[in-house]
Amino acid sequence: MKFFVDTAHIEEIKKALAWGILDGVTTNPSLVAKTGRRFDDVKREILDLVKGPVSLECTKMDFDGMLAQGLALAAEGPQVVVKLPLTREGIAVCKALSDKGIKTNVTLCFSANQALLAAKAGATYISPFVGRLDDISEDGMALIADIVQIYRNYGFKTQVLVASVRNPVHVLKAAKIGADVCTVPFGVLDQLFNHPLTDRGNEQFLKDWAKVPE
Ligand code: E4P
């Protein structure tokens, strides 16, 4: 399973890159707003840092506007993935961009039928939001299992990108189901390293090592 970090904060991206386990980055308008910086500046810095796929989201909602914005974003670098909302216009733009060989990520997916539409439109990635489904007492991970099964049934190439991840259990379940990608907030990525027995064991090894004669 590939790991993307779900952030627009440059420092978080740098730290995750330094760990050597980062495959890409996803952003959205809310994450960019949280930085308090201009989108153009944030986008440029991320694209200069990250060689893997970087999802940048369209904010125009009409077909022509969204298509023009998607084409402009795609021209920014070979690693750009144009992120599109799961609306009628978003799916139509997905088809138009996919036909031109431009990578796309269809976001705000909350049902398996929506994921089927994205795959038929040639999306590179589908982003089902597990945390937001859990928030309304639905089972976010059950949706991931359904989409993985449906895509396998028909041999769709669209990659399942688990989004709206809130905790390490989401990551574990995504990997067990066989999702292609998990996009993880920096804090959750950091938590994946933790185990008290690792810390305790390491402490003991270092104590014992200090007793070994030089
Ligand atoms: C996905 O690409 C989105 O950026 C993200 O995962 C949304 O997560 P949230 O529900 O925590 O806002």
Side-chain angles (χ1 to χ4, degrees):
M1 186 170 71
K2 285 175 232 160
F3 276 129
F4 292 175
V5 66
D6 197 27
T7 187
H9 274 288
I10 302 300
E11 287 315 309
E12 292 184 346
I13 294 170
K14 281 185 182 167
K15 281 185 195 162
L17 277 173
W19 289 332
I21 46 86
L22 190 66
D23 298 295
V25 174
T26 50
T27 65
N28 66 37
S30 306
L31 293 171
V32 174
K34 272 191 203 161
T35 68
R37 304 178 60 210
R38 293 176 64 246
F39 177 55
D40 278 352
D41 299 336
V42 173
K43 177 183 67 187
R44 200 60 268 152
E45 277 188 56
I46 297 176
L47 293 178
D48 286 346
L49 269 176
V50 181
K51 298 293 157 254
V54 175
S55 288
L56 302 172
E57 191 154 339
C58 284
T59 50
K60 304 285 185 200
M61 290 299 120
D62 63 296
F63 177 86
D64 290 335
M66 202 187 301
L67 181 62
Q69 198 181 16
L71 289 169
L73 287 172
E76 297 274 348
Q79 74 274 56
V80 171
V81 178
V82 179
K83 208 168 170 187
L84 302 159
L86 212 152
T87 58
R88 287 165 182 78
E89 295 75 13
I91 290 296
V93 171
C94 177
K95 173 76 176 127
L97 293 177
S98 304
D99 284 350
K100 289 180 187 296
I102 292 172
K103 293 189 284 291
T104 53
N105 174 359
V106 176
T107 189
L108 291 167
C109 170
F110 294 96
S111 80
N113 281 339
Q114 289 180 322
L116 194 50
L117 294 174
K120 288 186 75 72
T124 315
Y125 301 98
I126 181 70
S127 288
F129 278 35
V130 295
R132 292 192 196 186
L133 281 171
D134 291 355
D135 290 345
I136 60 159
S137 302
E138 289 198 27
D139 184 350
M141 295 314 304
L143 173 61
I144 301 302
D146 282 351
I147 297 172
V148 166
Q149 183 191 330
I150 290 168
Y151 282 8
R152 279 197 193 132
N153 286 348
Y154 298 101
F156 283 120
K157 297 275 180 290
T158 303
Q159 296 181 48
V160 180
L161 193 171
V162 180
S164 186
V165 164
R166 300 277 160 81
N167 54 57
V169 177
H170 279 151
V171 179
L172 174 67
K173 289 186 175 170
K176 286 178 81 171
I177 291 168
D180 301 283
V181 191
C182 200
T183 189
V184 187
F186 178 79
V188 175
L189 201 56
D190 189 53
Q191 279 181 294
L192 299 183
F193 287 90
N194 297 341
H195 199 287
L197 291 180
T198 305
D199 296 340
R200 212 184 305 162
N202 210 25
E203 220 171 273
Q204 190 61 50
F205 283 155
L206 293 177
K207 262 189 204 157
D208 292 340
W209 183 246
K211 296 176 201 158
V212 175
E214 286 193 16

